[in-house]
Amino acid sequence: MESLFLGCLVGGILFAIVSVVLGDWLSASLDGMLDFLSLDGHPILQPMAIVGGITVFGGSGLLLDRHTEMNTAIVLLLSIICAVAAAIGVYYFYVRPMQKTENSTGYSMKELTGAIGEVSVPIPAIGYGEVLIRVGAGLTSHIASSHDGVLIPNGSRVVVINVEGHSLVVSLLEL
């Protein structure tokens, strides 16, 4: 059993080192050749959580086997419990929060409906002006027309009512 525990521990440590040091390089050079290894199904089946659990299984099994007088079945059971707890912990305290922090600067024009912006070029009653809208961490400028058919002066706060083609239809925001 000691060789099983040692193999899991060493394998997990090697996986961590290789993924940190060579992860980006391997990903770029293999260009999706290992996509078949992706686990579809329950979201907890992430490689980081699984390998973390295997590593903890090896480490806890090795410690329990060498430093306690428990029999092999109990050591194996306790190691599996530690591994499952560690995998769940890695998923909920590392993988899941990291997935939620991923941000993109890309957006769809349809997502702007309901957004609040500021007029940078006055919008005439009939015609087009320009509005600045905060998207993510930056500002974006869009052509806009008045929904109500009234002049909207520079500096006014507006809300996007609709998106028509490549322009926004806005209305003066009254607070």
Side-chain angles (χ1 to χ4, degrees):
M1 283 310 279
E2 188 172 319
S3 60
L4 171 68
F5 295 139
L6 191 59
C8 289
L9 179 63
V10 170
I13 292 171
L14 287 177
F15 176 82
I17 291 170
V18 168
S19 65
V20 168
V21 175
L22 302 175
D24 290 337
W25 179 79
L26 283 173
S27 176
S29 64
L30 295 177
D31 195 29
M33 288 184 354
L34 299 177
D35 284 348
F36 68 92
L37 294 176
S38 298
L39 298 173
D40 294 331
H42 199 278
I44 202 167
L45 298 176
Q46 297 290 324
M48 184 67 69
I50 292 172
V51 173
I54 292 171
T55 306
V56 169
F57 170 77
S60 63
L62 197 59
L63 287 173
L64 290 171
D65 192 40
R66 285 188 179 178
H67 300 291
T68 66
E69 297 296 323
M70 292 185 236
N71 67 12
T72 306
I74 293 175
V75 168
L76 192 61
L77 181 66
L78 288 175
S79 296
I80 290 171
I81 291 171
C82 288
V84 169
I88 291 171
V90 166
Y91 176 74
Y92 281 106
F93 295 114
Y94 180 74
V95 174
R96 198 166 156 207
M98 293 303 278
Q99 288 175 337
K100 291 181 179 181
T101 62
E102 293 178 4
N103 289 327
S104 172
T105 57
Y107 65 94
S108 168
M109 290 284 287
K110 298 293 181 190
E111 293 174 16
L112 296 177
T113 302
I116 296 173
E118 183 177 328
V119 176
S120 58
V121 174
I123 303 171
I126 299 175
Y128 295 93
E130 192 171 287
V131 295
L132 288 172
I133 297 177
R134 181 169 301 282
V135 177
L139 291 173
T140 182
S141 178
H142 290 280
I143 298 170
S145 63
S146 175
H147 177 263
D148 304 317
V150 297
L151 171 70
I152 303 175
N154 188 19
S156 301
R157 289 180 47 112
V158 293
V159 62
V160 178
I161 303 295
N162 195 10
V163 178
E164 293 178 354
H166 295 289
S167 66
L168 306 176
V169 179
V170 299
S171 183
L172 191 59
L173 182 64
E174 298 174 11
L175 295 176

